[in-house]
Amino acid sequence: MKRKVIGFSQIGPAHIKHNLPNQDGYLCYKSRNFSLVVVSDGLGSKPFSHIGSKTACKAVLNAAKNFENNKNTTSIKDFFELIQNFWKSHLGEHKPEECSATCLFALATKNKIFIARLGDGMICSIGKSNEKDILLSDNKASSFSNETFSLSNSNLINLWEYKSLPISDYKYILIATDGISSDLQTGTEIQFSKDLIESLHSKLYFTKKRVLSKLMKNWPVPKHSDDKTIAIMELA
């Protein structure tokens, strides 16, 4: 597959100030049969959420590999259960309730792109025409607390938001944690994604990394404090 995947994560000013780890995690992966990008944001109230977020990324990859070998017998519900089970099993001695983390990913096979979201953050699917653009994101107007759905000790299979899309209709998928999405004005998420992707277009891999690093280190929102993570999949 000629698809390109790239990601970057920047620890937030608040975590630097208090000598805390980056609680975000991301993963970019390509094989002969599928491409995958994952981002995860550990819940700040949990002591080992930075472990939970990194483990979430690995859990989705493990589930994707399992799906690759059993695609005719794996349902969507089975796939989400696999993620939950792999996540718990890879936490080792840490308790799931101490490692809660969101989970957002895009899995592209030959003909389909599967996007899914548990918890806050955004997934922007950029179509080959504007009417195909799709956003999975928070309803900021109704948000009144810091509570969010996440991988945890509870089984939240029915709380995943997901879509299966024909890959022929799409050019890019951009996924970001809420350190980015919550700072964007409602309705600007798709255009932000398109502008960022355009700024990366035709650049070499390490140049793209520098562009993402510069953006996140110089984030233009006053008094921003959260970790920031982006992962992008180019489908063409």
mmCIF file of all heavy atoms in Angstrom, residues 180-202:
data_model
loop_
_atom_site.group_PDB
_atom_site.id
_atom_site.type_symbol
_atom_site.label_atom_id
_atom_site.label_comp_id
_atom_site.label_asym_id
_atom_site.label_seq_id
_atom_site.Cartn_x
_atom_site.Cartn_y
_atom_site.Cartn_z
ATOM 1 N N ILE A 180 -6.134 19.530 21.279
ATOM 2 C CA ILE A 180 -6.262 20.295 20.036
ATOM 3 C C ILE A 180 -7.725 20.598 19.735
ATOM 4 O O ILE A 180 -8.102 21.754 19.535
ATOM 5 C CB ILE A 180 -5.610 19.532 18.865
ATOM 6 C CG1 ILE A 180 -4.089 19.550 19.032
ATOM 7 C CG2 ILE A 180 -6.014 20.136 17.517
ATOM 8 C CD1 ILE A 180 -3.335 18.735 18.032
ATOM 9 N N SER A 181 -8.568 19.560 19.730
ATOM 10 C CA SER A 181 -9.956 19.756 19.282
ATOM 11 C C SER A 181 -10.728 20.727 20.164
ATOM 12 O O SER A 181 -11.565 21.494 19.675
ATOM 13 C CB SER A 181 -10.677 18.407 19.219
ATOM 14 O OG SER A 181 -10.793 17.808 20.496
ATOM 15 N N SER A 182 -10.466 20.724 21.461
ATOM 16 C CA SER A 182 -11.222 21.606 22.362
ATOM 17 C C SER A 182 -10.844 23.068 22.184
ATOM 18 O O SER A 182 -11.598 23.961 22.601
ATOM 19 C CB SER A 182 -11.004 21.186 23.822
ATOM 20 O OG SER A 182 -9.642 21.331 24.192
ATOM 21 N N ASP A 183 -9.681 23.331 21.575
ATOM 22 C CA ASP A 183 -9.260 24.710 21.339
ATOM 23 C C ASP A 183 -9.745 25.262 20.003
ATOM 24 O O ASP A 183 -9.565 26.451 19.719
ATOM 25 C CB ASP A 183 -7.725 24.811 21.385
ATOM 26 C CG ASP A 183 -7.189 24.838 22.806
ATOM 27 O OD1 ASP A 183 -7.989 25.054 23.729
ATOM 28 O OD2 ASP A 183 -5.970 24.642 22.988
ATOM 29 N N LEU A 184 -10.343 24.413 19.180
ATOM 30 C CA LEU A 184 -10.836 24.862 17.878
ATOM 31 C C LEU A 184 -12.268 25.361 18.002
ATOM 32 O O LEU A 184 -13.083 24.779 18.704
ATOM 33 C CB LEU A 184 -10.781 23.718 16.860
ATOM 34 C CG LEU A 184 -9.402 23.125 16.572
ATOM 35 C CD1 LEU A 184 -9.522 21.961 15.600
ATOM 36 C CD2 LEU A 184 -8.456 24.178 16.027
ATOM 37 N N GLN A 185 -12.566 26.438 17.312
ATOM 38 C CA GLN A 185 -13.936 26.947 17.302
ATOM 39 C C GLN A 185 -14.837 25.945 16.602
ATOM 40 O O GLN A 185 -14.480 25.367 15.567
ATOM 41 C CB GLN A 185 -13.979 28.293 16.584
ATOM 42 C CG GLN A 185 -15.339 28.971 16.622
ATOM 43 C CD GLN A 185 -15.302 30.350 15.987
ATOM 44 O OE1 GLN A 185 -14.231 30.883 15.699
ATOM 45 N NE2 GLN A 185 -16.469 30.941 15.782
ATOM 46 N N THR A 186 -16.008 25.715 17.159
ATOM 47 C CA THR A 186 -16.957 24.776 16.563
ATOM 48 C C THR A 186 -17.224 25.137 15.104
ATOM 49 O O THR A 186 -17.508 26.293 14.781
ATOM 50 C CB THR A 186 -18.278 24.782 17.353
ATOM 51 O OG1 THR A 186 -18.021 24.398 18.700
ATOM 52 C CG2 THR A 186 -19.273 23.806 16.745
ATOM 53 N N GLY A 187 -17.121 24.138 14.244
ATOM 54 C CA GLY A 187 -17.354 24.346 12.816
ATOM 55 C C GLY A 187 -16.084 24.569 12.010
ATOM 56 O O GLY A 187 -16.128 24.592 10.776
ATOM 57 N N THR A 188 -14.940 24.721 12.694
ATOM 58 C CA THR A 188 -13.681 24.970 11.976
ATOM 59 C C THR A 188 -12.797 23.725 11.905
ATOM 60 O O THR A 188 -11.704 23.776 11.343
ATOM 61 C CB THR A 188 -12.883 26.100 12.651
ATOM 62 O OG1 THR A 188 -12.457 25.667 13.958
ATOM 63 C CG2 THR A 188 -13.716 27.362 12.773
ATOM 64 N N GLU A 189 -13.247 22.602 12.467
ATOM 65 C CA GLU A 189 -12.391 21.425 12.596
ATOM 66 C C GLU A 189 -11.940 20.872 11.236
ATOM 67 O O GLU A 189 -10.773 20.531 11.051
ATOM 68 C CB GLU A 189 -13.116 20.332 13.390
ATOM 69 C CG GLU A 189 -13.430 20.705 14.831
ATOM 70 C CD GLU A 189 -14.788 21.335 15.000
ATOM 71 O OE1 GLU A 189 -15.392 21.753 13.984
ATOM 72 O OE2 GLU A 189 -15.252 21.421 16.153
ATOM 73 N N ILE A 190 -12.879 20.768 10.301
ATOM 74 C CA ILE A 190 -12.537 20.227 8.982
ATOM 75 C C ILE A 190 -11.567 21.155 8.258
ATOM 76 O O ILE A 190 -10.582 20.698 7.670
ATOM 77 C CB ILE A 190 -13.809 20.008 8.139
ATOM 78 C CG1 ILE A 190 -14.652 18.867 8.722
ATOM 79 C CG2 ILE A 190 -13.445 19.726 6.682
ATOM 80 C CD1 ILE A 190 -14.058 17.494 8.576
ATOM 81 N N GLN A 191 -11.835 22.468 8.307
ATOM 82 C CA GLN A 191 -10.938 23.403 7.618
ATOM 83 C C GLN A 191 -9.555 23.426 8.259
ATOM 84 O O GLN A 191 -8.540 23.509 7.557
ATOM 85 C CB GLN A 191 -11.535 24.816 7.627
ATOM 86 C CG GLN A 191 -10.818 25.785 6.680
ATOM 87 C CD GLN A 191 -10.824 25.302 5.241
ATOM 88 O OE1 GLN A 191 -11.882 24.982 4.700
ATOM 89 N NE2 GLN A 191 -9.651 25.238 4.620
ATOM 90 N N PHE A 192 -9.501 23.339 9.588
ATOM 91 C CA PHE A 192 -8.200 23.234 10.274
ATOM 92 C C PHE A 192 -7.438 22.030 9.745
ATOM 93 O O PHE A 192 -6.236 22.122 9.449
ATOM 94 C CB PHE A 192 -8.416 23.106 11.781
ATOM 95 C CG PHE A 192 -7.193 22.666 12.540
ATOM 96 C CD1 PHE A 192 -6.235 23.582 12.944
ATOM 97 C CD2 PHE A 192 -6.988 21.317 12.841
ATOM 98 C CE1 PHE A 192 -5.087 23.179 13.630
ATOM 99 C CE2 PHE A 192 -5.857 20.897 13.524
ATOM 100 C CZ PHE A 192 -4.904 21.833 13.920
ATOM 101 N N SER A 193 -8.124 20.898 9.629
ATOM 102 C CA SER A 193 -7.476 19.673 9.159
ATOM 103 C C SER A 193 -6.976 19.838 7.733
ATOM 104 O O SER A 193 -5.852 19.439 7.403
ATOM 105 C CB SER A 193 -8.452 18.497 9.245
ATOM 106 O OG SER A 193 -8.870 18.291 10.573
ATOM 107 N N LYS A 194 -7.806 20.418 6.868
ATOM 108 C CA LYS A 194 -7.407 20.606 5.474
ATOM 109 C C LYS A 194 -6.207 21.549 5.363
ATOM 110 O O LYS A 194 -5.278 21.291 4.585
ATOM 111 C CB LYS A 194 -8.582 21.149 4.658
ATOM 112 C CG LYS A 194 -9.697 20.143 4.441
ATOM 113 C CD LYS A 194 -10.818 20.731 3.595
ATOM 114 C CE LYS A 194 -11.888 19.685 3.314
ATOM 115 N NZ LYS A 194 -12.985 20.223 2.477
ATOM 116 N N ASP A 195 -6.219 22.625 6.137
ATOM 117 C CA ASP A 195 -5.108 23.582 6.089
ATOM 118 C C ASP A 195 -3.816 22.931 6.579
ATOM 119 O O ASP A 195 -2.744 23.140 5.993
ATOM 120 C CB ASP A 195 -5.424 24.804 6.941
ATOM 121 C CG ASP A 195 -6.523 25.675 6.349
ATOM 122 O OD1 ASP A 195 -6.824 25.512 5.150
ATOM 123 O OD2 ASP A 195 -7.078 26.506 7.098
ATOM 124 N N LEU A 196 -3.913 22.151 7.650
ATOM 125 C CA LEU A 196 -2.721 21.488 8.179
ATOM 126 C C LEU A 196 -2.192 20.462 7.182
ATOM 127 O O LEU A 196 -0.979 20.401 6.919
ATOM 128 C CB LEU A 196 -3.030 20.819 9.510
ATOM 129 C CG LEU A 196 -1.881 20.033 10.153
ATOM 130 C CD1 LEU A 196 -0.659 20.922 10.366
ATOM 131 C CD2 LEU A 196 -2.334 19.408 11.469
ATOM 132 N N ILE A 197 -3.075 19.664 6.625
ATOM 133 C CA ILE A 197 -2.652 18.650 5.656
ATOM 134 C C ILE A 197 -2.018 19.301 4.434
ATOM 135 O O ILE A 197 -1.014 18.819 3.909
ATOM 136 C CB ILE A 197 -3.865 17.777 5.261
ATOM 137 C CG1 ILE A 197 -4.245 16.867 6.442
ATOM 138 C CG2 ILE A 197 -3.560 16.940 4.021
ATOM 139 C CD1 ILE A 197 -5.596 16.206 6.304
ATOM 140 N N GLU A 198 -2.599 20.413 3.989
ATOM 141 C CA GLU A 198 -2.028 21.134 2.841
ATOM 142 C C GLU A 198 -0.623 21.633 3.158
ATOM 143 O O GLU A 198 0.266 21.616 2.301
ATOM 144 C CB GLU A 198 -2.935 22.309 2.466
ATOM 145 C CG GLU A 198 -2.433 23.151 1.300
ATOM 146 C CD GLU A 198 -2.334 22.368 -0.015
ATOM 147 O OE1 GLU A 198 -3.097 21.384 -0.181
ATOM 148 O OE2 GLU A 198 -1.479 22.733 -0.843
ATOM 149 N N SER A 199 -0.395 22.065 4.404
ATOM 150 C CA SER A 199 0.934 22.558 4.789
ATOM 151 C C SER A 199 1.975 21.438 4.819
ATOM 152 O O SER A 199 3.180 21.701 4.752
ATOM 153 C CB SER A 199 0.867 23.244 6.156
ATOM 154 O OG SER A 199 0.725 22.302 7.211
ATOM 155 N N LEU A 200 1.510 20.192 4.924
ATOM 156 C CA LEU A 200 2.415 19.040 4.965
ATOM 157 C C LEU A 200 2.600 18.390 3.593
ATOM 158 O O LEU A 200 3.532 17.601 3.407
ATOM 159 C CB LEU A 200 1.866 17.981 5.929
ATOM 160 C CG LEU A 200 1.665 18.400 7.381
ATOM 161 C CD1 LEU A 200 1.022 17.268 8.169
ATOM 162 C CD2 LEU A 200 2.979 18.810 8.028
ATOM 163 N N HIS A 201 1.717 18.727 2.678
ATOM 164 C CA HIS A 201 1.688 18.043 1.385
ATOM 165 C C HIS A 201 3.027 18.169 0.652
ATOM 166 O O HIS A 201 3.622 19.236 0.586
ATOM 167 C CB HIS A 201 0.575 18.612 0.513
ATOM 168 C CG HIS A 201 0.382 17.874 -0.768
ATOM 169 N ND1 HIS A 201 -0.042 16.563 -0.810
ATOM 170 C CD2 HIS A 201 0.583 18.251 -2.053
ATOM 171 C CE1 HIS A 201 -0.110 16.171 -2.066
ATOM 172 N NE2 HIS A 201 0.264 17.176 -2.845
ATOM 173 N N SER A 202 3.490 17.055 0.130
ATOM 174 C CA SER A 202 4.720 16.962 -0.683
ATOM 175 C C SER A 202 6.011 17.134 0.121
ATOM 176 O O SER A 202 7.103 17.070 -0.447
ATOM 177 C CB SER A 202 4.705 17.987 -1.837
ATOM 178 O OG SER A 202 3.606 17.746 -2.684
#
